[in-house]
């Protein structure tokens, strides 16, 4: 099959993208336990909703994704829609979410959680999107983005240091980014001091994982000292001027870089774990508590990193004490921010469901406590739930000992058992996301698709490409197998119905007449012999001077 631009676009927008969404909807509308399909109490999978907003030029764009879990498929995240809307008020976002879900036949009562970034329009106390969704479904959980909290705690603490590390990193990158000559000079300095050269990285403030790698890359202050005050950027020269004599004493900047290379790794590793697609709300509280404990212990012990301690010994005692106190304040500032933005109290529902992460066998009281805090008691048969708990109890120990992710452990536990209530409970619990990474990835895909060389793409085309890339997780070989079996998809690709410009309104005839013009011509008797809109006019006067276009003295091309 040969595909030009028009055909390729039509296949993506009118065949593959709708097929990817339809596959998702089939799962969400199919009962979790096929044996109970005929029963009125059969549970379909619960799902969470995630949204966000970003600009492409002057266009405000909103992705809408869903996350769900089934024993057979595990945790899945799919892009349901991607639309533009200039109104980003809470009422507008709420109305769009409700409308999109209703268009796809998804009930609001099956939503488990709402995920978005931590802006007040999403999670304000009175008039936010979350509060409006709670009016539709009181069981919806708040699933705000914890990765944002961790990132901002490190950023907030870094802003309290006596040195602006973000400015240093970006100034350094900017100085070398567009000059091959400067890079070669820097490489020669690295060779002289016997340090392996690594490309400098740029720090992007809105990205969670860019600061620590940028700080970790080595670079030699000797280069900037060799430039002198006139050539070196002033903001950097202030950090180097105390070492102009070239005695080789360590700089304050070297100590801070060593400290941050050690301290920021804690936040970096936490965010990496948080943004995994198979992360679950059962594990979230322990992740955050572990981060808090690490920071508290480092502050208590005054541990700043082994290399940092060696450098501090080379400073006078008074100066070393000032540096040490400033770095310890970094820990305190980050802890204060974390405790203000994340609930570490016993009332946090995430702590109450932590026992269900299958790190150890859980008992029925743990299950009841989770059902109560998730407000699922009216949706489940608690007596039947106990019987089902007894069925899976003998298998818990073996599953706990496996090193599989939590979602896979639950799939193994429930896949081959008839446990409708426990499966429905697991569907609700494991559908709750812990970060907003799914829609952040959509924006990354958008940036990759909507390049300057493709600036004429429509929102619909970009949406379709994102849906195909996100919803189809096949390899090339698996996609081939999928398509060969899907005869409906193949027939749709072959059909001309996928071309929107061929879907003419009734009454269209020829390239010169739209329906309104054709109706007007028929009404005024300009074209005789036409009994109904869309019927063919008689072929007359094919030998006239106008090549057959003239009829009754009227040139139809002029009418067009």
């Amino acid at each position: 099959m040969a595909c030009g631009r028009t055909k390729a676009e039509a296949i993506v927008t009118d065949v593959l993208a709708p097929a990817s969404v339809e596959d998702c909807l089939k799962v969400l509308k199919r009962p979790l336990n096929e044996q109970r399909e005929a029963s009125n109490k059969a549970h379909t999978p619960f799902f969470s909703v995630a949204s966000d907003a970003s600009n492409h030029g002057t266009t405000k764009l909103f992705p809408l994704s869903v996350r769900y879990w089934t024993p057979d498929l595990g945790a899945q995240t799919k892009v349901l829609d991607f639309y533009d809307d200039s109104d980003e008020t809470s009422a507008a976002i709420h109305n769009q979410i409700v409308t999109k879900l209703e268009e796809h036949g998804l009930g609001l009562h099956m939503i488990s959680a709402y995920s978005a970034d931590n802006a007040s329009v999403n999670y304000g106390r009175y008039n936010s999107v979350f509060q409006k969704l709670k009016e539709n479904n009181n069981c919806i959980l708040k699933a705000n983005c914890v990765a944002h909290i961790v990132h901002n705690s490190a950023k907030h603490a870094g802003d309290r240091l006596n040195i602006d590390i973000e400015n240093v990193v970006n100034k350094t990158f900017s100085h070398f980014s567009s000059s091959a000559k400067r890079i070669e000079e820097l490489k020669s300095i690295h060779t002289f001091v016997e340090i392996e050269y690594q490309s400098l990285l740029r720090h992007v403030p809105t990205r969670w994982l860019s600061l620590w790698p940028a700080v970790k890359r080595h670079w030699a202050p000797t280069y900037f000292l060799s430039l002198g005050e006139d050539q070196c950027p002033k903001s950097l020269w202030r950090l180097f001027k105390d070492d102009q004599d070239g005695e080789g004493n360590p700089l304050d900047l070297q100590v801070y870089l060593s400290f941050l290379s050690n301290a920021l790794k804690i936040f970096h590793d936490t965010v990496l774990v948080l943004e995994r697609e198979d992360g679950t709300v059962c594990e979230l509280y322990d992740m955050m508590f572990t981060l808090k404990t690490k920071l508290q212990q480092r502050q208590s012990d005054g541990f700043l990193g082994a290399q940092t301690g060696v450098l501090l010994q080379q400073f006078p005692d008074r100066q070393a004490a000032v540096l040490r106190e400033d770095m310890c304040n970094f820990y305190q500032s980050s802890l204060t921010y974390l405790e203000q933005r994340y609930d570490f109290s016993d009332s946090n529902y995430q702590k109450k469901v932590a026992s269900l992460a299958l790190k150890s066998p859980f008992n029925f009281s743990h299950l009841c406590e989770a059902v109560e805090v998730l407000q699922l008691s009216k949706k489940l048969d608690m007596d039947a739930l106990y019987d089902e708990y007894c069925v899976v109890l003998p298998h818990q120990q073996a599953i706990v000992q496996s090193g599989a992710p939590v979602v896979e452990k639950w799939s193994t536990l429930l896949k081959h058992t008839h446990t409708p209530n426990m499966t429905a409970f697991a569907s609700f619990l494991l559908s709750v996301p812990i970060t907003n990474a799914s829609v952040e990835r959509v924006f990354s895909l958008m940036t990759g698709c909507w390049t300057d060389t493709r600036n004429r793409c429509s929102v619909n085309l970009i949406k379709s490409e994102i849906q195909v890339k996100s919803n189809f997780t096949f390899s090339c070989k698996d996609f081939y197998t999928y398509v060969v079996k899907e005869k409906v998809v193949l027939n749709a690709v072959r059909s001309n119905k996928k071309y929107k410009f061929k879907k003419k309104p009734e009454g269209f005839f020829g390239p010169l007449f739209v329906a309104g013009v054709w109706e007007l011509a028929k009404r005024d008797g300009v074209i005789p012999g036409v009994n109904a809109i869309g019927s063919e006019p008689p072929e007359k006067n094919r030998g006239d001077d106008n090549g057959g276009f003239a009829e009754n003295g009227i040139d139809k091309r002029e009418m067009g």
Side-chain angles (χ1 to χ4, degrees):
M1 177 184 292
C3 287
R5 181 178 62 188
T6 302
K7 183 182 290 186
E9 178 178 349
I11 291 173
V12 171
T13 57
D14 294 328
V15 180
L16 293 180
S20 72
V21 175
E22 185 62 28
D23 286 351
C24 165
L25 296 177
K26 286 179 181 177
V27 176
L28 291 175
K29 295 175 182 179
R30 185 171 60 238
L32 285 165
N33 292 84
E34 296 293 347
Q35 297 93 331
R36 303 191 60 182
E37 189 169 1
S39 171
N40 293 330
K41 296 183 179 180
H43 289 283
T44 56
F46 289 95
F47 61 91
S48 62
V49 176
S51 182
D52 203 350
S54 182
N55 279 52
H56 179 77
T58 57
T59 306
K60 178 69 70 174
L61 296 158
F62 295 83
L64 180 64
S65 69
V66 293
R67 173 186 164 114
Y68 56 90
W69 175 91
T70 66
D72 296 327
L73 300 175
Q76 300 286 320
T77 302
K78 305 295 183 182
V79 178
L80 203 62
D81 212 325
F82 185 76
Y83 60 92
D84 61 302
D85 190 350
S86 59
D87 189 355
E88 52 181 330
T89 61
S90 60
I93 297 173
H94 168 262
N95 290 336
Q96 287 280 15
I97 291 174
V98 171
T99 301
K100 300 295 183 184
L101 293 178
E102 290 178 347
E103 287 176 355
H104 289 93
L106 299 177
L108 299 178
H109 66 286
M110 297 305 293
I111 301 178
S112 59
Y114 172 63
S115 177
D117 60 26
N118 304 321
S120 58
V121 68
N122 293 318
Y123 293 109
R125 184 174 298 179
Y126 300 108
N127 194 29
S128 62
V129 179
F130 175 68
Q131 295 299 333
K132 293 181 183 298
L133 287 172
K134 289 275 286 186
E135 295 175 3
N136 302 118
N137 178 0
N138 192 47
C139 297
I140 293 179
L141 298 175
K142 177 183 177 182
N144 58 312
C145 186
V146 182
H148 274 99
I149 296 176
V150 175
H151 166 77
N152 289 340
S153 65
K155 180 179 174 61
H156 173 80
D159 290 340
R160 298 297 182 270
L161 291 173
N162 292 332
I163 187 171
D164 188 351
I165 190 62
E166 291 188 19
N167 180 58
V168 170
V169 168
N170 288 331
K171 276 288 184 182
T172 304
F173 176 84
S174 176
H175 183 80
F176 291 101
S177 61
S178 58
S179 175
K181 180 180 178 181
R182 291 173 180 175
I183 290 292
E184 287 302 318
E185 293 174 355
L186 183 61
K187 287 181 179 179
S188 65
I189 291 175
H190 276 76
T191 303
F192 178 76
V193 297
E194 298 181 350
I195 296 176
E196 182 183 356
Y197 173 78
Q198 292 178 299
S199 299
L200 299 176
L201 298 178
R202 180 168 61 115
H203 167 56
V204 182
T206 56
R207 292 194 176 183
W208 302 331
L209 301 171
S210 68
L211 183 57
W212 178 71
V215 169
K216 194 173 182 295
R217 293 297 171 93
H218 296 287
W219 56 278
T222 308
Y223 169 83
F224 290 101
L225 290 172
S226 66
L227 294 178
E229 184 174 3
D230 294 336
Q231 299 297 323
C232 182
K234 285 188 176 181
S235 58
L236 295 178
W237 182 256
R238 297 190 193 101
L239 302 174
F240 302 134
K241 63 182 179 180
D242 295 335
D243 197 40
Q244 294 178 71
D245 54 5
E247 294 179 358
N249 294 326
L251 301 171
D252 290 0
L253 178 59
Q254 288 178 272
V255 181
Y256 279 108
L257 286 173
S258 175
F259 165 70
L260 290 172
S261 180
N262 181 278
L264 290 177
K265 190 176 187 301
I266 307 172
F267 299 92
H268 184 90
D269 291 344
T270 303
V271 171
L272 279 177
V273 175
L274 286 171
E275 68 172 6
R276 288 186 329 201
E277 292 189 7
D278 58 2
T280 66
V281 71
C282 308
E283 307 163 275
L284 181 56
Y285 185 86
D286 288 342
M287 293 179 194
M288 296 301 291
F289 188 78
T290 299
L291 173 63
K292 177 184 175 183
T293 302
K294 286 182 178 180
L295 293 172
Q296 287 176 333
Q297 192 63 44
R298 284 170 176 256
Q299 182 186 28
S300 175
D301 295 339
F303 181 75
L304 308 175
Q307 182 63 30
T308 308
V310 172
L311 291 173
L312 285 173
Q313 292 176 4
Q314 303 177 41
F315 284 88
D317 292 344
R318 181 175 297 181
Q319 186 179 0
V322 172
L323 292 172
R324 190 180 297 275
E325 181 181 2
D326 189 36
M327 295 172 192
C328 287
N329 287 337
F330 175 91
Y331 293 136
Q332 182 58 50
S333 298
S334 59
L335 281 168
T336 301
Y337 189 95
L338 275 179
E339 291 171 348
Q340 289 175 348
R341 267 69 177 185
Y342 184 80
D343 183 10
F344 287 97
S345 68
D346 294 339
S347 60
N348 187 352
Y349 80 91
Q350 294 164 3
K351 184 176 182 180
K352 296 182 182 297
V353 301
S355 58
L356 300 176
L358 291 177
K359 294 180 180 179
S360 60
F362 63 87
N363 54 44
F364 188 67
S365 62
H366 294 147
L367 203 57
C368 290
E369 186 178 23
V371 168
E372 182 179 355
V373 74
L374 298 178
Q375 304 180 54
L376 293 176
S377 56
K378 294 182 179 180
K379 298 182 179 182
L380 302 176
D381 184 338
M382 296 303 293
D383 292 335
L385 183 64
Y386 178 77
D387 294 335
E388 295 168 14
Y389 164 75
C390 295
V391 171
V392 302
L393 182 59
H395 307 289
Q396 282 196 47
Q397 188 62 47
I399 293 173
V400 164
Q401 294 175 353
S402 69
V406 174
V407 289
E408 292 184 16
K409 289 181 178 180
W410 275 98
S411 295
T412 304
L413 187 66
L414 301 176
K415 184 181 294 185
H416 302 296
T417 61
H418 179 55
T419 51
N421 288 278
M422 187 168 288
T423 304
F425 168 78
S427 171
F428 187 101
L429 182 67
L430 302 178
S431 68
V432 179
I434 58 179
T435 70
N436 204 34
S438 61
V439 288
E440 298 289 350
R441 292 189 182 100
V442 169
F443 292 134
S444 296
L445 287 173
M446 178 192 75
T447 303
C449 295
W450 221 340
T451 60
D452 291 340
T453 56
R454 304 185 71 212
N455 57 2
R456 295 180 62 188
C457 290
S458 64
V459 174
N460 184 51
L461 175 58
I462 298 300
K463 176 189 80 170
S464 301
E465 291 188 9
I466 289 172
Q467 287 177 328
V468 171
K469 291 182 179 182
S470 300
N471 298 349
F472 285 139
T473 57
F474 302 115
S475 64
C476 292
K477 182 178 179 180
D478 293 338
F479 184 73
Y480 169 78
T481 304
Y482 164 81
V483 171
V484 168
K485 293 180 180 178
E486 292 291 334
K487 301 301 181 184
V488 175
V489 173
L490 291 177
N491 292 335
V493 169
R494 294 189 183 102
S495 172
N496 282 339
K497 293 181 180 180
K498 64 179 177 292
Y499 297 115
K500 286 185 170 61
F501 61 85
K502 289 194 175 184
K503 299 174 183 176
K504 308 299 184 185
E506 272 193 296
F508 185 90
F509 173 75
L512 304 177
F513 295 88
V514 294
V517 176
W518 178 256
E519 179 68 26
L520 181 63
K522 190 195 75 168
R523 185 196 67 188
D524 293 341
V526 174
I527 303 178
V530 176
N531 298 320
I533 297 177
S535 60
E536 300 238 351
E539 295 187 10
K540 293 183 180 180
N541 302 324
R542 290 301 181 188
D544 57 45
D545 295 335
N546 288 319
F549 284 97
E551 189 172 315
N552 294 334
I554 298 176
D555 191 336
K556 290 188 284 186
R557 291 173 296 183
E558 293 179 1
M559 290 179 59

